[in-house]
Amino acid sequence: MTPSDSKLRSAARYFAVQALFQMEASSQALETVREQFWTHRFGEVFEDEGEMSEANVELFDALLSGAVTHQAQIDQMTNRALDAKWPIDRIDPTLRAIFRAAGAELVAKATPPKVVITEFVEIAAAFFDTGKERSFANAVLDAMARETHPNAF
């Protein structure tokens, strides 16, 4: 059975967050990480975890490229949404990756902002056990979406 387009897009967002985290944690270049995901992560089978999902490669690539190309703009938007005592450099690197991937999608303006918020809040829930990070991600993403799409709310 072929996954639906929405599932492929959700998987692309999830993988983009992982890839951005990996790039920051390992100081690997965009092309290196992108190639690893294309060849090893999409559809990979693990004994104890089952099969990894396929993903919408175009969205995955667009999110990675957009996050790298517009990182300064996205980080500034994120900082404006954060408390001045907690700039983006001080937050959890997984949350940073979430904000950068979501920011890339918001800046591209190809997806309704409410969809972007919902998708990336769900990704935050997948990475964190408590609801605190999910609520935090929701608040920051809402502020970022209002900045990039002021007429959508």
Side-chain angles (χ1 to χ4, degrees):
M1 185 172 146
T2 304
S4 69
D5 184 54
S6 67
K7 289 204 182 295
L8 292 172
R9 293 178 66 75
S10 293
R13 292 178 180 104
Y14 183 83
F15 284 135
V17 169
Q18 288 183 320
L20 290 167
F21 177 89
Q22 181 178 330
M23 287 170 59
E24 181 177 342
S26 66
S27 299
Q28 291 178 313
L30 169 70
E31 291 305 321
T32 302
V33 172
R34 184 188 335 235
E35 183 68 28
Q36 288 175 2
F37 274 78
W38 287 347
T39 58
H40 300 293
R41 297 280 182 95
F42 297 159
E44 183 176 9
V45 178
F46 298 99
E47 278 185 37
D48 56 342
E49 296 178 31
E51 184 175 344
M52 295 292 284
S53 180
E54 290 296 328
N56 179 310
V57 176
E58 293 80 21
L59 179 58
F60 173 79
D61 289 347
L63 292 176
L64 287 185
S65 297
V68 169
T69 301
H70 302 290
Q71 183 174 331
Q73 176 187 1
I74 293 165
D75 286 358
Q76 289 170 0
M77 278 192 321
T78 305
N79 277 331
R80 285 190 287 274
L82 295 170
D83 184 298
K85 296 176 188 171
W86 287 96
I88 193 168
D89 295 357
R90 289 189 66 190
I91 64 172
D92 182 275
T94 304
L95 285 170
R96 252 193 320 272
I98 289 169
F99 297 149
R100 287 175 177 157
E105 194 161 3
L106 289 167
V107 168
K109 298 186 180 190
T111 306
K114 290 181 181 185
V115 171
V116 175
I117 294 168
T118 299
E119 287 282 321
F120 283 99
V121 167
E122 288 303 313
I123 291 169
F127 283 108
F128 297 99
D129 292 338
T130 68
K132 182 177 81 172
E133 287 87 357
R134 182 181 177 153
S135 296
F136 177 65
N138 187 61
V140 171
L141 293 171
D142 183 68
M144 292 170 68
R146 288 177 187 279
E147 183 174 333
T148 57
H149 297 76
N151 297 324
F153 294 90

